[in-house]
Amino acid sequence: MLEVADLPLPGSGRTLERFERLAAIARRDPVAARLCEGHADAVAIRAELGDSGPPAPDQSWGVWAAAPASVTAVEKDGEWTLSGDRPWCSGAGSCTHALVTATAPDGVRLFAVSNRAPWAVPLDGTWPAVGMAGSDSRTVRFTDAPARPVGGPGSYVGRPGFWHGGVGVAACWYGGATGVADTLLHRARGPHALAHLGAVDVLLRSARAVLREAAARIDAEPAADAEQLAVRVRCTVESAASEVIDRVGRALGAGPLGHDEAHARRVSDLTVYLRQSHAEADLARLGALLKEEPPAW
């Protein structure tokens, strides 16, 4: 993961640089951004929870934390092992290591594991995707996999950086949307397409503004609870990116989708990537957070 080997950590005073570099990767290739963001998030998590030093140059890390109850952690004589099937493991066949959530007797914990057989095996046929196909987000089956605890029970989601990572994903969504918009920028002709181009500019600049604001707040208060901030940013960027996809399609018709392989793949990849958003559930959560802490509108 040389592209993100020297990426600044969230809250380091250079968070905007972190987001901009992730967005630049996503502008070129949302799949590459998904894998790079996972590796970068793993590095940040390990740093925040006091795990061992930075990964070796030949290591590629993922964060496989969907459905923690699907994997069980067992401790015996001071050694931990993981067993169970974990879906949505991006980089299932390419990551050398992963941070994996699992249910232990004392709660949900995070563990570092080596992604190698026979202890960790990606299951064929579990990622028949078209969009984000290259992310190889197969289910991985763990069988008595040796594991190292990273932090204590609940520390993965309880740390401020959990929400900083969520904003990093939104930066990738923004970058992917700029890549889709590039096609319109290059091909827009006539008032209809130009009107959509103007609207796309407004959407992307709005998304970029909230990412910049978020980066500044994270750097100013790295230990603060960033849930409201992160959910707002994610909702804003997801909405903007979704509308960019729609407007580019309405402006240019089926031509680029049918005859421009790179554009068609980017649209398909970003459409799937955006579904990491929880849509109305996230909006409802934002509303609840606003009731608890009213905004400064």
Side-chain angles (χ1 to χ4, degrees):
M1 286 294 174
L2 294 179
E3 284 189 274
V4 290
D6 61 344
L7 205 64
L9 295 173
S12 65
R14 297 166 58 199
T15 302
L16 180 59
E17 179 186 341
R18 179 184 180 89
F19 291 164
E20 287 179 337
R21 286 177 59 185
L22 287 171
I25 297 169
R27 186 173 195 164
R28 184 184 74 249
D29 184 351
V31 169
R34 174 67 192 94
L35 298 176
C36 287
E37 184 277 324
H39 178 86
D41 194 33
V43 172
I45 292 166
R46 294 178 66 213
E48 190 168 358
L49 295 182
D51 198 36
S52 54
D58 61 344
Q59 291 182 351
S60 176
W61 285 70
V63 180
W64 299 342
S70 64
V71 176
T72 301
V74 175
E75 186 269 336
K76 183 178 181 181
D77 299 328
E79 301 292 331
W80 288 89
T81 58
L82 305 186
S83 295
D85 292 357
R86 167 55 47 80
W88 304 98
C89 296
S90 294
S94 59
C95 286
T96 60
H97 298 75
L99 296 178
V100 181
T101 50
T103 303
D106 55 359
V108 175
R109 284 176 167 264
L110 187 69
F111 296 87
V113 300
S114 178
N115 183 31
R116 56 194 176 96
W119 304 287
V121 177
L123 301 182
D124 291 340
T126 56
W127 186 242
V130 176
M132 294 297 285
S135 70
D136 187 23
S137 300
R138 284 177 287 172
T139 295
V140 173
R141 175 165 294 164
F142 296 100
T143 305
D144 296 326
R148 181 181 74 252
V150 178
S155 60
Y156 167 63
V157 298
R159 62 197 171 83
F162 178 80
W163 296 108
H164 302 164
V167 179
V169 173
C172 294
W173 296 343
Y174 162 74
T178 62
V180 173
D182 283 338
T183 301
L184 178 58
L185 179 63
H186 297 147
R187 302 190 185 196
R189 301 289 187 274
H192 173 75
L194 291 174
H196 281 296
L197 179 60
V200 163
D201 177 71
V202 171
L203 291 164
L204 292 176
R205 289 183 180 275
S206 298
R208 187 174 68 180
V210 298
L211 285 165
R212 283 178 167 273
E213 178 189 12
R217 287 187 57 186
I218 290 168
D219 281 338
E221 299 179 282
D225 181 355
E227 182 180 5
Q228 186 186 110
L229 173 69
V231 177
R232 179 185 299 112
V233 171
R234 287 169 64 92
C235 289
T236 301
V237 177
E238 185 270 339
S239 177
S242 295
E243 188 170 345
V244 166
I245 291 172
D246 184 59
R247 284 188 174 275
V248 171
R250 293 170 71 87
L252 300 180
L257 294 172
H259 298 285
D260 183 338
E261 181 181 356
H263 176 75
R265 183 170 58 249
R266 186 175 288 111
V267 168
S268 181
D269 290 341
L270 181 58
T271 298
V272 174
Y273 201 177
L274 288 172
R275 297 281 51 85
Q276 274 195 291
S277 161
H278 300 107
E280 280 70 22
D282 281 347
L283 289 169
R285 178 58 183 160
L286 178 58
L289 291 168
L290 293 172
K291 294 290 287 185
E292 296 172 8
E293 184 181 344
W297 288 340

